[in-house]
Amino acid sequence: MTKLVPIGHKKLFKILEKLGFSAVRQKGSHSIWEHADGRITVIPVHPGEKIGKGMLSKILADIELTVEEYEQYRLMKK
């Protein structure tokens, strides 16, 4: 089983864009992302901080992505 590694919000945004998500709005320090099929997730945006394992696990559940699939996207070059 693969362990989750904390990630910065900008890198996570790039992964979401590759998956077909787009930012629909931002309220305070939370960016809301939506997919055409209706999946929605909220990404905390705190400069200088990484998204921790617990929050990342919640986001992956929201977007219906396994840890293994996430790792493939995380390790991809641009």
Side-chain angles (χ1 to χ4, degrees):
M1 179 176 195
T2 307
K3 286 188 173 184
L4 286 174
V5 177
I7 187 171
H9 67 273
K10 290 181 182 179
K11 187 161 185 176
L12 186 55
F13 287 171
K14 289 180 184 179
I15 291 171
L16 289 173
E17 287 171 349
K18 287 179 186 177
L19 291 168
F21 284 82
S22 58
V24 290
R25 66 184 181 278
Q26 182 154 345
K27 184 169 183 171
S29 62
H30 294 90
S31 183
I32 293 84
W33 287 70
E34 187 172 7
H35 193 274
D37 65 10
R39 292 177 286 166
I40 296 174
T41 193
V42 178
I43 310 296
V45 179
H46 301 284
E49 292 184 23
K50 292 191 181 249
I51 297 169
K53 298 173 196 176
M55 178 58 70
L56 186 53
S57 178
K58 166 74 169 79
I59 292 167
L60 294 180
D62 288 347
I63 65 174
E64 301 172 8
L65 193 69
T66 67
V67 174
E68 290 76 19
E69 292 169 331
Y70 160 75
E71 281 299 314
Q72 289 176 350
Y73 281 100
R74 187 179 71 82
L75 298 174
M76 273 184 171
K77 299 287 181 190
K78 297 181 184 182

